[in-house]
Amino acid sequence: MSNNGVAKRSKGTFAWALWDWAEQPFPTIFQTFIFPIYITSSAFGPEADTSRALGLATTLAGIAVALAAPVFGRRSDEMGKRKAWLMMNTFILAGVMASLFFIAPTPSMLWLGLIIFSFGGFVQEIAFINYYAMLKQVSTPSNIGKVSGFAWGLGYVGGIVLLLMSLVGFVQTDNPWFGIPLDDALNVRAVFLFSAVWLLVWSIPLFVSVKEIEKKADVAKENIIESYYKLWGQLKSLRRQAPETFKFLISSAIYRDGLSGVFAFGGALGSLAFGFELADVIIFGIAANIVAGIGAAIGGFIDDKVGAKTTIMVSLIGLTIAGFAVFLFAGYGPITYWIGGLFLTLFVGPAQAASRSFVARFTPDGREGEVFGLYMTTGRAVSFLSPLLWTTAISAALAMGIANAQATIYGILGLMLVLVVGTLLMARVHPNPQ
């Protein structure tokens, strides 16, 4: 490759990685640290009920992704519209964020807010199919782990900036920016509007610098039914033709759902079980993103040196130990959440980034969208596990007569069970599946 070609790829690499920074409001603000605290607060109803409602909404979004992901992935590969699909999903996701501004703190708005939030989760996951599929376009076989880890780390840095601006400008102040009043949680809801603008602005470099893929020649058109029929044939043959890949997809589906659960319910856990106020959760989120960003960046280098599987296994074991420690030492109060929660975040980034590079390494050129669509589908096929076990564990604790706040801590046992099963299955996967 010429020096000019290397420069162009480097420019595209940073622009691609910057989208991890751009979309950071949804995982940071909406899935973890602010919106879950807001929507599960007593303003929307009894906190145990709102927490379980959040789990149900997350489950429904996962089912929708499982049904739609393979079709979107196949079509982006074949029709040459990978970037176009990502652009459209980015605009829709920004609209979802902005619309949540109108969810006022009253019980009658609970389910409308959760429905909009669930739709946003669906759109984000579909966007990820095309975003992940671009990884091989902006990296080489020798640096794919570093590029994936760098992008994930950059996303965490974006989360730090977001949370700092939210805390200083909107939440922990008597005079929010732009003269926004404090009535009806308008200062908190303004963060949702700010997030939408953030996503749109920081997505521009990718849309300008990363090239669209070409449409495949002689592609026969297929309708939705045909797409699912071909998917079913692909799944049936996968176990026979590529058993190690099949085992990875199954194991990663389970442990990635556990990782998603840590993010989805981490903020609610700090608020309900450890008594954190919203400002406390945001401060914790800033610290967590710093630790997670460091972990993701280091994990990227380790990935290229010792392999993705080793990186994933070490991360999953670390996550499991930290999670059980949070439960066992919960009686010590907030210090447990600070120490255990930060150890959890240290290992989440490397596990996620290494999983992404693991898939990209064994994906044939020109089929990235299809394979990542299958990756997302298998992940979302079991996406009910974490919210279901979170809700079941809390319900069991309540049935045993444990008070609402103390019952919430039992939810982490459900998440750890998912991670343990995923870790055991991942241990059986070959480090270089074909």
Side-chain angles (χ1 to χ4, degrees), residues 71-139:
V71 176
F72 283 99
R74 286 176 60 86
R75 296 193 171 201
S76 71
D77 283 340
E78 295 175 350
M79 303 308 295
K81 295 182 178 179
R82 186 175 292 165
K83 186 168 75 170
W85 276 110
L86 180 58
M87 290 177 64
M88 184 178 72
N89 286 313
T90 297
F91 295 146
I92 295 173
L93 187 59
V96 167
M97 294 180 187
S99 67
L100 287 171
F101 168 81
F102 299 99
I103 303 301
T106 174
S108 63
M109 299 294 282
L110 172 65
W111 278 106
L112 177 59
L114 287 175
I115 289 170
I116 296 173
F117 167 73
S118 297
F119 178 65
F122 168 80
V123 173
Q124 182 203 38
E125 296 288 351
I126 297 302
F128 277 148
I129 295 172
N130 296 288
Y131 178 64
Y132 290 177
M134 291 178 176
L135 177 56
K136 289 180 74 174
Q137 293 176 235
V138 298
S139 64

Side-chain angles (χ1 to χ4, degrees), residues 6-325:
V6 172
K8 287 182 178 179
R9 173 166 285 199
S10 298
K11 180 181 178 182
T13 299
F14 183 75
W16 176 84
L18 197 60
W19 195 84
D20 249 317
W21 164 294
E23 67 83 33
Q24 197 58 213
F26 203 80
T28 299
I29 301 296
F30 293 91
Q31 290 181 320
T32 308
F33 294 114
I34 294 185
F35 183 77
I37 309 305
Y38 176 65
I39 203 70
T40 59
S41 67
S42 58
F44 290 92
E47 293 175 346
D49 292 341
T50 56
S51 182
R52 285 183 287 183
L54 176 62
L56 177 59
T58 305
T59 301
L60 294 176
I63 293 172
V65 172
L67 293 174
V71 176
F72 283 99
R74 286 176 60 86
R75 296 193 171 201
S76 71
D77 283 340
E78 295 175 350
M79 303 308 295
K81 295 182 178 179
R82 186 175 292 165
K83 186 168 75 170
W85 276 110
L86 180 58
M87 290 177 64
M88 184 178 72
N89 286 313
T90 297
F91 295 146
I92 295 173
L93 187 59
V96 167
M97 294 180 187
S99 67
L100 287 171
F101 168 81
F102 299 99
I103 303 301
T106 174
S108 63
M109 299 294 282
L110 172 65
W111 278 106
L112 177 59
L114 287 175
I115 289 170
I116 296 173
F117 167 73
S118 297
F119 178 65
F122 168 80
V123 173
Q124 182 203 38
E125 296 288 351
I126 297 302
F128 277 148
I129 295 172
N130 296 288
Y131 178 64
Y132 290 177
M134 291 178 176
L135 177 56
K136 289 180 74 174
Q137 293 176 235
V138 298
S139 64
T140 65
S142 64
N143 71 1
I144 192 170
K146 294 185 184 70
V147 171
S148 182
F150 171 73
W152 222 290
L154 190 61
Y156 286 125
V157 174
I160 296 168
V161 176
L162 269 168
L163 289 171
L164 278 171
M165 295 179 76
S166 299
L167 184 68
V168 174
F170 299 100
V171 177
Q172 193 72 1
T173 176
D174 293 329
N175 299 292
W177 290 346
F178 313 116
I180 296 170
L182 301 175
D183 301 336
D184 292 326
L186 280 169
N187 57 320
V188 176
R189 292 152 58 192
V191 175
F192 307 156
L193 287 177
F194 174 71
S195 298
V197 175
W198 174 287
L199 172 60
L200 292 174
V201 170
W202 292 110
S203 294
I204 293 173
L206 183 148
F207 299 148
V208 171
S209 300
V210 180
K211 291 184 177 181
E212 181 66 277
I213 62 171
E214 296 182 1
K215 179 180 179 180
K216 288 184 177 180
D218 302 322
V219 174
K221 291 184 178 181
E222 62 182 41
N223 58 38
I224 299 296
I225 301 300
E226 290 171 332
S227 294
Y228 282 111
Y229 181 78
K230 289 183 179 181
L231 169 69
W232 179 244
Q234 183 185 28
L235 287 172
K236 286 195 299 182
S237 64
L238 185 62
R239 186 174 184 180
R240 180 181 69 256
Q241 297 176 351
E244 293 300 320
T245 297
F246 181 82
K247 286 194 293 186
F248 171 71
L249 289 175
I250 298 303
S251 63
S252 72
I254 295 174
Y255 75 68
R256 284 185 293 123
D257 187 55
L259 297 177
S260 297
V262 170
F263 273 105
F265 301 109
L269 182 69
S271 173
L272 301 179
F274 291 96
F276 279 31
E277 299 293 333
L278 180 56
D280 299 324
V281 172
I282 293 175
I283 293 171
F284 173 83
I286 293 169
N289 274 26
I290 292 173
V291 172
I294 294 171
I298 294 174
F301 284 95
I302 295 174
D303 183 343
D304 285 330
K305 295 294 184 181
V306 303
K309 180 185 174 179
T310 301
T311 305
I312 294 168
M313 288 298 298
V314 171
S315 300
L316 292 177
I317 292 170
L319 276 161
T320 304
I321 294 173
F324 279 116

